């Protein structure tokens, strides 16, 4: 039992390290990730400055994190596509455009949530 717990702790530690490495790598090269992070910091500050319910706060904060996750997925798609297909190709364009649409939809969802929370 102890060996199993130690192995799981190592896996969790590795997951944290790899995830942090991925975020740092994207942060270093992706201006849009930095922009969305700033937007999320401002959104988080506003969500605690306003008189909102815990559920409203949770929704806004969670959707902000979802936008960041979508941006990281988009970055991963772009990196893989550029590695596999450095030359322009319709399928490469489609993959990249779909990744971008993923970010746009997540951002739209966050915006809709803000509007519904503020307007009621």
């Amino acid at each position: 039992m102890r060996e199993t717990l130690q192995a799981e702790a190592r896996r969790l530690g590795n997951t944290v390290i790899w995830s942090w490495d991925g975020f740092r790598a994207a942060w270093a090269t992706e201006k849009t990730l930095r922009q969305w992070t700033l937007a999320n910091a401002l959104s988080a500050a506003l969500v605690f400055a306003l008189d909102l319910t815990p559920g409203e706060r949770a929704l806004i904060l969670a959707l902000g994190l979802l936008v960041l996750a979508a941006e990281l997925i988009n970055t991963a798609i772009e990196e893989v596509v550029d590695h596999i297909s450095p030359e322009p190709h319709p399928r490469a364009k489609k993959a990249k455009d779909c990744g971008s649409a993923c970010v746009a939809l997540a951002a739209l969802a966050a915006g809709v949530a803000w509007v519904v929370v503020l307007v009621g």
Side-chain angles (χ1 to χ4, degrees):
M1 175 72 166
R2 185 176 187 174
E3 290 173 11
T4 301
L5 291 175
Q6 288 174 334
E8 291 304 315
R10 275 192 305 278
R11 279 190 200 98
L12 177 61
N14 286 336
T15 298
V16 170
I17 290 167
W18 296 328
S19 296
W20 181 244
D21 286 348
F23 189 87
R24 282 184 356 178
W27 180 270
T29 61
E30 299 299 318
K31 185 176 183 179
T32 53
L33 178 63
R34 296 189 298 272
Q35 291 169 337
W36 282 124
T37 302
L38 175 60
N40 271 285
L42 296 172
S43 179
L46 187 58
V47 88
F48 287 107
L50 297 174
D51 184 27
L52 301 178
T53 68
E56 291 169 334
R57 284 189 178 114
L59 177 66
I60 298 296
L61 294 170
L63 285 170
L65 291 173
L66 184 64
V67 172
L68 295 179
E71 183 58 43
L72 289 168
I73 290 168
N74 185 41
T75 298
I77 291 168
E78 288 177 351
E79 288 291 323
V80 170
V81 167
D82 288 347
H83 178 71
I84 293 171
S85 178
E87 300 300 318
H89 189 280
R91 293 178 79 184
K93 180 183 178 339
K94 179 181 178 182
K96 288 179 158 190
D97 289 350
C98 287
S100 181
C102 177
V103 177
L105 287 175
L108 183 63
V112 166
W114 262 116
V115 169
V116 170
V117 165
L118 293 176
V119 175

